[in-house]
Amino acid sequence: MPDWLPLWRKDFTVQELIDFFKSQPMQFAPGERWAYNNSGYVLLGAIIEEVSGQPYEQFIQQNIFDRLGMTHSYYDSPLRVIPGRVSGYDKGTEDYTNADYLGLTQPYAAGALASTVDDLAIWDTALYTDQLLTLETLQQAFVPQQLTDGSSTAYGFGWAISEYAEHVLVEHGGGINGFRTYAIRMPSDHAFIAVLSNNTGADPGHLAFKIAALVIGQPYQEPSAIELSPDVLARYEGAYEINALENRRITCRNNRLYSQRGDSEPLELVAFSTNEVYFKPNPLIRIRFSIDENGVVTSAELRGRFGPPEICEKFCETVPATT
């Protein structure tokens, strides 16, 4: 591959992928916190190759797709002709665009698979049997792990574990150039919801959860939005520290709050109480601002439906407005 090609167009070996992160400093001590990262899945793919003596692609094809009869599932490649494969689209500031090219050796074991909802249903059915693994081994994937302080990560082995209306939900999402996905298993109900989108402007996780709530007869109700005065909105503006490397910026424009993590796109926030807001694209993700006795905002706590909260201390009162 020519050296002048942009990084995202290049192909990489597994060892080259590992070399990108193997010498990077750890964000926290093992067991201190939980954070999803693709690097862990790259390592798992490398382990599979080492133990099986097969390329990851071949192992997945033979031991999952072929074994279960998932005839419309593939280890994807932009050069491979796949019947029925759809194009991916990204939402720009004004309109949709074709998704940027991505060499799929980069996501590797963290996200280079292509499938259909029907094939995923076949796979979900197999998880109630011992076709892939023993039920005892499979069950370990669906048990939340604990941190060293005894708190739950709400995450098993590759699955997020949550609860709604006393029903257990086992779920995960994914995203790649031009595509977003979400799947929810409800083992006690033998129900499975998968939403696959070739449009990154849509949120399949929100839709999948609302469908899951309907399946169990407990429809989800969005919180009612309220209007806050400009002076209340202004006190939430500032920079909040997520960790040593990342900040969350809260800005106010035209009496609307926006949250921006790092260099990502600003997302509009909608108030439903005097110190609580939800993300307009996904009301299931919310921020609660902590206010001291002097009326000063000290921190922001972000919560989704599962997982430990992300608590960000406010360290700067003003930040440049985003455009």
Side-chain angles (χ1 to χ4, degrees):
M1 189 69 69
D3 290 337
W4 52 262
L5 281 179
L7 187 66
W8 61 86
R9 293 187 65 91
K10 294 186 177 182
D11 286 322
F12 293 92
T13 66
V14 178
Q15 187 57 56
E16 286 174 329
L17 289 175
I18 294 174
D19 287 344
F20 274 113
F21 61 81
K22 69 179 183 182
S23 299
Q24 296 297 314
M26 299 178 66
Q27 290 184 315
F28 48 83
E32 181 181 272
R33 289 194 286 133
W34 174 87
Y36 176 88
N37 69 83
N38 283 348
S39 303
Y41 288 89
V42 170
L43 290 175
L44 283 174
I47 291 170
I48 288 173
E49 292 195 355
E50 181 68 24
V51 173
S52 68
Q54 295 178 293
Y56 176 77
E57 174 182 359
Q58 184 180 1
F59 181 88
I60 295 297
Q61 184 68 48
Q62 291 183 0
N63 292 278
I64 298 180
F65 299 158
D66 291 346
R67 180 175 297 182
L68 299 181
M70 297 171 64
T71 57
H72 295 92
S73 298
Y74 308 86
Y75 185 95
D76 201 3
S77 166
L79 299 180
R80 184 176 188 174
V81 176
I82 297 178
R85 177 167 56 188
V86 300
S87 299
Y89 301 91
D90 290 323
K91 185 69 167 66
T93 54
E94 297 181 0
D95 205 349
Y96 289 96
T97 61
N98 291 315
D100 285 338
Y101 175 91
L102 177 67
L104 288 169
T105 57
Q106 292 188 38
Y108 177 54
L113 303 183
S115 190
T116 65
V117 290
D118 290 333
D119 265 16
L120 289 176
I122 293 172
W123 170 73
D124 173 71
T125 300
L127 298 185
Y128 293 99
T129 73
D130 59 1
Q131 287 179 275
L132 297 177
L133 294 170
T134 67
L135 292 177
E136 182 181 5
T137 298
L138 273 172
Q139 187 55 36
Q140 296 179 48
F142 310 135
V143 177
Q145 301 299 300
Q146 287 191 329
L147 300 177
T148 51
D149 64 3
S151 61
S152 174
T153 63
Y155 200 86
F157 295 151
W159 288 97
I161 318 298
S162 67
E163 185 176 296
Y164 176 72
E166 300 183 353
H167 292 252
V168 173
L169 279 65
V170 180
E171 56 195 291
H172 217 287
I176 205 166
N177 295 13
F179 298 89
R180 294 180 68 182
T181 66
Y182 210 89
I184 297 178
R185 306 185 71 237
M186 293 186 286
S188 61
D189 303 278
H190 255 259
F192 176 68
I193 297 94
V195 180
L196 311 181
S197 172
N198 64 333
N199 161 21
T200 56
D203 180 12
H206 190 205
L207 177 59
F209 173 71
K210 293 178 73 172
I211 294 172
L214 288 172
V215 167
I216 61 174
Q218 299 286 339
Y220 169 73
Q221 299 295 323
E222 306 285 9
S224 299
I226 64 171
E227 292 287 336
L228 296 180
S229 63
D231 60 320
V232 172
L233 294 175
R235 67 181 179 182
Y236 296 131
E237 282 196 288
Y240 298 75
E241 184 180 56
I242 298 173
N243 53 52
L245 302 176
E246 292 184 287
N247 298 325
R248 183 177 299 280
R249 295 148 43 101
I250 304 293
T251 56
C252 184
R253 303 198 306 269
N254 300 321
N255 289 330
R256 292 287 183 268
L257 284 180
Y258 294 85
S259 171
Q260 182 178 18
R261 178 172 182 150
D263 296 327
S264 62
E265 287 292 318
L267 299 176
E268 185 176 346
L269 302 173
V270 179
F272 65 97
S273 81
T274 54
N275 68 327
E276 294 175 292
V277 297
Y278 61 78
F279 284 77
K280 189 173 183 179
N282 186 351
L284 300 169
I285 304 176
R286 303 172 183 184
I287 294 177
R288 183 180 186 276
F289 295 99
S290 293
I291 306 170
D292 66 16
E293 62 275 10
N294 298 315
V296 176
V297 177
T298 58
S299 64
E301 179 183 283
L302 183 144
R303 282 186 178 273
R305 286 190 302 103
F306 56 82
E310 178 185 274
I311 300 176
C312 311
E313 299 296 328
K314 189 175 184 180
F315 68 90
C316 181
E317 292 295 327
T318 59
V319 293
T322 56
T323 57

